[in-house]
Amino acid sequence: MEIAHATRNEFVVKELLKSVGHVFLKMPLGFIVTLKHLFKKPISLDYPRVKQPMSPRYRGRHYLERYDDGTERCVCCGLCAAACPADAIYMEPEETPNGERKAKVYEINLLRCIFCGFCEEACPEEAVFLGQEYEFSAYDRNSFIWTKTDMLVPHPRKDNPVKRIIRRVRRVYGVTDAHR
Ligand code: SF4
Ligand code: SF4
């Protein structure tokens, strides 16, 4: 009985010493890690006030481009819809008073879109392009059906000439880039 009592006392003392070790040794060690990071430059951003610039190759929301004279580039040829693997593009053509063809309806279902950029590469008029914007979340499904009004740029965009050349080369030689 006395032996069992002594063993229990030893156990209690051991546990006590272990706890003291945790408080006076391991906790300060943990605080050292915290202190080390306290004076380092933070890697997080104060979003949405501060935004991380996206990679130039990032593919965000879609736009419909205009020519320099302000007319719409899209001729409603349907090549972007044919290239779209997600079947996300719908369009209806119409004829302008001077006999040109343009899109009466042009819609992209962003809930289907996988932002692959195939529509941009397929377009012979360089009318549709994916921009850098990624903030288009919404609370209802209908808001994700983007129409011409949502996508048509007010003024012609000055495209990155390098990106445009790469796109043309890819189109001509049928090059696909799996790493994009
Ligand atoms: S980015 Fe890809 S999935 Fe989205 S509309 Fe264009 S082709 Fe379709
Ligand atoms: S966006 Fe380009 S590929 Fe698509 S219908 Fe218009 S012109 Fe054709």
Side-chain angles (χ1 to χ4, degrees):
M1 184 74 179
E2 261 185 36
I3 293 170
H5 189 69
T7 317
R8 206 182 66 212
N9 279 351
E10 268 174 31
F11 176 76
V12 171
V13 170
K14 258 191 208 163
E15 284 301 305
L16 204 65
L17 287 175
K18 228 197 268 179
S19 308
V20 170
H22 273 295
V23 172
F24 289 102
L25 212 70
K26 295 204 174 163
M27 271 180 60
L29 275 176
F31 281 130
I32 287 172
V33 175
T34 309
L35 280 172
K36 256 190 347 203
H37 285 273
L38 210 58
F39 302 104
K40 278 186 185 168
K41 194 169 172 243
I43 56 166
S44 52
L45 292 178
D46 186 15
Y47 182 84
R49 268 174 293 195
V50 182
K51 288 175 190 160
Q52 174 81 34
M54 303 307 284
S55 148
R57 295 189 302 177
Y58 176 78
R59 294 186 294 269
R61 63 160 284 188
H62 301 65
Y63 289 96
L64 284 172
E65 178 64 297
R66 291 178 189 273
Y67 282 110
D68 288 341
D69 64 1
T71 53
E72 296 171 23
R73 275 180 176 258
C74 178
V75 291
C76 202
C77 65
L79 287 178
C80 53
C84 178
D87 198 14
I89 305 175
Y90 173 77
M91 68 191 72
E92 284 175 21
E94 72 174 352
E95 209 166 282
T96 60
N98 52 4
E100 286 173 359
R101 184 185 160 101
K102 68 178 201 131
K104 183 169 75 174
V105 178
Y106 188 100
E107 291 176 355
I108 296 187
N109 184 339
L110 292 180
L111 294 175
R112 278 173 164 258
C113 176
I114 53 170
F115 299 90
C116 60
F118 283 3
C119 49
E120 181 178 327
E121 295 197 12
C123 180
E125 299 291 327
E126 301 194 339
V128 64
F129 68 92
L130 281 77
Q132 296 268 301
E133 294 71 19
Y134 50 86
E135 292 168 311
F136 43 83
S137 52
Y139 288 104
D140 63 300
R141 296 177 70 83
N142 285 344
S143 307
F144 289 101
I145 311 290
W146 280 39
T147 62
K148 257 177 78 172
T149 321
D150 301 314
M151 290 182 281
L152 202 58
V153 294
H155 308 290
R157 179 184 67 139
K158 297 292 169 214
D159 196 6
N160 177 346
V162 178
K163 196 178 167 193
R164 187 164 280 192
I165 290 166
I166 292 171
R167 214 164 44 221
R168 278 193 185 147
V169 170
R170 277 214 197 98
R171 194 179 303 130
V172 171
Y173 293 101
V175 181
T176 53
D177 183 356
H179 306 292
R180 289 191 317 142

